[in-house]
């Protein structure tokens, strides 16, 4: 072999190694994610995942119900490997629609408390959202408040703002009450609550807090992250409205405050199943958990992860440890009860 040729074959070997390496990266492959969370609330985390693993994440974001419909209509041809969405009621619908599959992972089982994952592994919670009571500081003292049940007491007549029964957050709250107290008691409660409405339900959670601040009602029910968003957002009027109310954690002497999750499910026909599980496992790592909870003003689903400063200000609370798959199971009963109670 001539000297020149030796150099050439040396270069070829370097080239082969480089090719091997790049196929190695390519073999890490990709994962296709359908996310009901907005890009800004998840993309930085996905980028970090890609940096660490070499796995490319193809992200499709959209409305939660639209993404589920899309998964159903795509069927086996769906490119999606993982679905991220909010509310256990929606995750239950995805399971019922047959678009998910059960996955087993010791990492996921260790990280996600039992209440916040589907028993067979069809979905896993990624963050916690609480749905407490907000009261107008000028009109109500926290000592007058106690539980969701108490909101049906006649003392609150004409004083409560809550969004419509078409909203899954309220359906899930009512579903949790069915799980704890049965349908009959829940129906009586719903009828009493509706009698106490300050107005016919309209708007989203933020609008209930704004209505209280504007003097339309004294009590609002809302998820904490809306309150957090109002307190820290750029909208001056929203901030002022949020500052007029305070947060009350209901049912602390009993089962705890109603909580829900954002969560993820591996799709039934995932072509990149292993990578989907890797991404799920990444999302429950402590660093991911603190970031994801913080940008969404939500709580980490995993124990032992530090809360953001804002969440710490709102204080520790006891959360209902009902398995959230119950929310989906009781959803249709909840909807019927709300309808019969006249909850618009
Ligand atoms: Fe929401």
């Amino acid at each position: 072999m001539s000297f020149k040729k030796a150099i050439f074959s040396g270069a070829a070997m370097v080239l082969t190694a480089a090719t091997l390496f790049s196929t190695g990266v390519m073999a890490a492959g990709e994962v296709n994610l359908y996310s009901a969370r907005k890009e800004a609330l998840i993309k930085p985390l996905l980028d970090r995942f890609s940096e660490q693993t070499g796995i490319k994440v193809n992200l499709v974001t959209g409305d939660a119900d639209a993404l589920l419909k899309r998964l159903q209509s795509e069927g086996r041809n769906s490119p999606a490997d993982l679905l991220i969405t909010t509310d256990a009621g929606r995750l239950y619908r995805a399971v019922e629609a047959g678009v998910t599959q059960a996955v087993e992972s010791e990492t996921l089982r260790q990280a996600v408390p039992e209440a916040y994952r589907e028993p067979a592994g069809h979905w896993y919670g990624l963050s916690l959202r609480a749905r407490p009571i907000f009261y107008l500081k000028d009109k109500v003292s926290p000592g007058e408040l106690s539980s969701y049940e108490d909101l049906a007491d006649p003392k609150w007549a004409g004083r409560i703002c809550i969004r419509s029964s078409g909203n899954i957050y309220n359906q899930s709250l009512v579903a949790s009450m069915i799980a704890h107290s049965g349908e009959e008691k829940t129906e009586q409660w719903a009828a009493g609550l509706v009698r106490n409405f300050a107005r016919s339900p309209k708007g989203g959670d933020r609008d209930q807090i704004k209505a209280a601040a504007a003097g339309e009602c004294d009590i609002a029910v809302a998820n904490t992250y809306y309150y957090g968003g109002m307190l820290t957002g750029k909208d001056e009027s929203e901030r002022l409205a949020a500052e007029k109310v305070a947060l009350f954690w209901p049912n602390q002497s009993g089962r705890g405050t109603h909580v829900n999750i954002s969560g993820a499910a591996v799709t039934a026909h995932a072509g990149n199943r292993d990578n989907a599980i890797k991404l799920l496992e990444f999302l429950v790592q402590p660093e991911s958990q603190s970031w994801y909870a913080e940008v969404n003003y939500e709580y980490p689903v995993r124990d032992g992860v530090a809360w953001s400063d804002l969440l710490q200000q709102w204080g520790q609370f006891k959360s209902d440890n009902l398995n959230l798959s119950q929310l989906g199971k009781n959803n249709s009963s909840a909807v019927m009860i709300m309808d019969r109670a006249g909850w618009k």
Side-chain angles (χ1 to χ4, degrees), residues 276-293:
I277 296 170
K278 276 186 197 145
L279 178 53
L280 254 178
E281 290 174 344
F282 172 83
L283 292 171
V284 300
Q285 294 310 305
E287 307 75 46
S288 308
Q289 281 282 296
S290 60
W291 186 90
Y292 182 66

Side-chain angles (χ1 to χ4, degrees), residues 136-149:
L136 196 56
K137 288 188 268 190
D138 288 351
K139 295 279 181 63
V140 178
S141 77
E144 296 174 77
L145 290 158
S146 58
S147 61
Y148 298 108
E149 284 76 0

Side-chain angles (χ1 to χ4, degrees), residues 133 141-151 155-156 248-254 257:
I133 295 169
S141 77
E144 296 174 77
L145 290 158
S146 58
S147 61
Y148 298 108
E149 284 76 0
D150 172 67
L151 296 180
K155 76 181 178 195
W156 300 114
F248 180 83
W249 297 113
N251 297 74
Q252 292 305 286
S253 58
T257 297

Side-chain angles (χ1 to χ4, degrees), residues 190-265:
L193 179 73
V194 170
R195 276 196 293 275
N196 292 341
F197 282 0
R199 59 176 191 175
S200 187
K202 60 178 175 187
D205 278 7
R206 285 175 192 244
D207 296 306
Q208 314 313 314
I209 293 173
K210 285 188 215 169
E216 275 192 78
C217 41
D218 299 334
I219 298 287
V221 176
N223 286 354
T224 47
Y225 56 89
Y226 291 111
Y227 180 53
M230 290 172 81
L231 285 172
T232 57
K234 291 193 184 87
D235 188 323
E236 175 85 1
S237 65
E238 284 204 342
R239 186 172 56 76
L240 292 172
E243 284 171 355
K244 286 190 179 176
V245 303
L247 188 161
F248 180 83
W249 297 113
N251 297 74
Q252 292 305 286
S253 58
R255 66 181 181 271
T257 297
H258 172 64
V259 291
N260 211 310
I261 51 165
S262 78

Side-chain angles (χ1 to χ4, degrees), residues 87-90 92-93 165 167-176 178 325-338:
D87 204 288
R90 286 203 188 96
Y92 181 87
R93 282 178 200 164
S165 60
N167 171 257
I168 188 108
Y169 305 154
N170 285 336
Q171 292 170 9
S172 287
L173 170 63
V174 175
S176 78
I178 294 172
S325 57
Q326 293 291 322
L327 305 183
K329 288 196 183 103
N330 292 336
N331 181 272
S332 54
S333 310
V335 170
M336 283 190 283
I337 281 173
M338 293 162 100

